[in-house]
């Protein structure tokens, strides 16, 4: 989906040459995407407008630090709508929800604010459209992920989950001439294409989605990691273990040539043994990770002799999503 990017492209040196030979390659872009930024700001603005407690179904985004910080401000995270007092304010997370969840919230007269990422909403609309046309929809994604549950819930009689290339063998359809694939937005681009290739071998008339389902931010972060990984003895991905796109970055780094790669929520989780014999460390972060956590890793490494920090820039992101309509008037200038 994306051409290899030479490591030299976009490198800027932010510190003088290291006398020890130790260096850090800092992936750009990294961290917050437009959908996450919108979701987190939605909860913050809801707190400002309605006061605590504000309820959020599931985690607003998959990041421990973000969730803990919001909880300290009076956000209550719940698994289902029946845990929310009738008439209270409930925010739906960035991952989206099924129509059944909307109906359950309405039955309890909850004041809902939908923070679903617009790119996830796009996949929901595609599922509804192709279900209306009576297609079998093969949804590539991870079983149990909230985004997959929300998308599949739009057309449960037409959607079949395909959890990776090895799941293709068990897929059956009613009419091989009316089959389309959609995908979870946070998957590995390469693995998704492997799954699609296997599906196409089984169903030659398989149709592609009208536009790319894997989000721009997920793709951009994977491209940046691919650019720097061959130069890295170690890649540290900042992100939570329930963050699909963060976990994928570890896999992408290893697949692209990094000798080792690890996922951490905080710098304090880095095992100093990982740094033994290491000269080049790559750092990136998942799309739901605030930059303060990345800088904590940079500082951790600086204290251990990694003073030379270079940025590996493969794309510039400028996309911004508007807040939900209930909160737009109060958006910061």
């Amino acid at each position: 989906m994306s051409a290899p990017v030479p490591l030299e492209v976009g490198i800027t040196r932010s510190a003088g040459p290291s006398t020890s030979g130790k260096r850090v390659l800092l992936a750009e872009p990294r961290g917050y995407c437009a959908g996450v930024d919108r979701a987190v700001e939605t909860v913050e603005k809801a707190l400002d407008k309605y006061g605590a407690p504000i309820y959020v179904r599931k985690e607003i985004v998959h990041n421990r630090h973000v969730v803990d910080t919001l909880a300290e401000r009076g956000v209550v995270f719940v698994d289902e709508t029946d845990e929310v007092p009738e008439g209270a304010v409930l925010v739906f997370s960035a991952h989206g929800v099924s129509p059944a969840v909307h109906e359950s919230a309405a039955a309890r007269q909850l004041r809902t604010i939908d923070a679903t990422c617009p790119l996830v909403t796009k996949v929901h609309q595609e599922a509804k459209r192709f279900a209306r046309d009576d297609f079998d929809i093969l949804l590539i994604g991870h079983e149990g992920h909230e985004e997959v549950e929300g998308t599949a819930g739009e057309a449960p009689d037409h959607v079949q989950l395909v959890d990776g290339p090895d799941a293709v063998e068990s897929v059956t359809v009613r009419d091989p001439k009316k089959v389309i694939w959609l995908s979870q937005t946070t998957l590995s681009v390469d693995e998704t294409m492997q799954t699609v290739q296997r599906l196409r071998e089984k169903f030659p008339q398989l149709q592609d989605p009208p536009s790319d389902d894997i989000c721009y931010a997920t793709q951009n972060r994977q491209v940046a990691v691919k650019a720097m990984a061959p130069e890295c003895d170690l890649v540290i991905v900042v992100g939570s273990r329930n963050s699909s796109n963060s976990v994928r970055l570890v896999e992408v780094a290893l697949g692209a040539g990094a000798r080792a790669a690890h996922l951490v929520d905080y710098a304090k989780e880095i095992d100093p043994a990982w740094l033994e014999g290491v000269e080049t460390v790559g750092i990136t972060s998942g799309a739901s990770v605030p930059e303060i956590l990345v800088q904590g890793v940079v500082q951790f490494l600086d204290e251990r002799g990694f003073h030379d920090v270079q940025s590996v820039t493969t794309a510039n992101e400028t996309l911004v999503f508007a807040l939900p309509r209930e909160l737009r008037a109060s958006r910061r200038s």
Side-chain angles (χ1 to χ4, degrees), residues 100-258:
V101 174
H102 283 283
E103 292 166 6
S104 174
R108 295 185 62 78
Q109 298 181 319
L110 302 180
R111 292 180 288 170
T112 59
I113 302 172
D114 194 350
T116 302
C117 173
L119 300 180
V120 174
T121 300
K122 177 184 75 71
V123 183
H124 281 226
Q125 296 301 325
E126 290 171 349
K128 289 191 287 186
R129 167 188 164 188
F130 287 100
R132 284 195 302 268
D133 292 338
D134 202 29
F135 274 72
D136 279 329
I137 301 167
L138 306 182
L139 177 61
I140 301 173
H142 297 303
E143 187 171 2
H145 193 280
E146 291 145 48
E147 181 186 329
V148 165
E149 292 176 350
T151 302
E154 294 286 2
D157 294 335
H158 289 80
V159 173
Q160 184 174 172
L161 179 64
V162 184
D163 194 345
D166 294 339
V168 171
E169 185 177 348
S170 62
V171 174
T172 59
V173 300
R174 296 168 300 159
D175 181 353
K177 298 185 182 66
K178 295 194 70 174
V179 186
I180 188 164
W181 69 273
L182 303 177
S183 82
Q184 182 181 328
T185 63
T186 54
L187 299 180
S188 158
V189 176
D190 293 339
E191 183 177 343
T192 300
M193 289 301 98
Q194 291 173 17
T195 305
V196 171
Q197 179 59 34
R198 290 201 189 180
L199 286 171
R200 203 175 299 284
E201 290 169 0
K202 188 169 184 177
F203 308 111
Q205 297 183 62
L206 177 71
Q207 295 191 30
D208 296 326
S211 60
D212 209 341
D213 283 348
I214 298 179
C215 91
Y216 77 96
T218 296
Q219 295 186 56
N220 286 348
R221 279 146 192 72
Q222 291 176 16
V223 168
V225 167
K226 287 180 183 179
M228 71 181 185
E231 298 290 324
C232 295
D233 303 305
L234 168 68
V235 171
I236 295 174
V237 178
V238 185
S240 295
R241 298 194 179 281
N242 64 337
S243 166
S244 177
N245 77 90
S246 298
V247 173
R248 299 292 83 73
L249 287 173
V250 174
E251 298 170 355
V252 169
L254 292 170

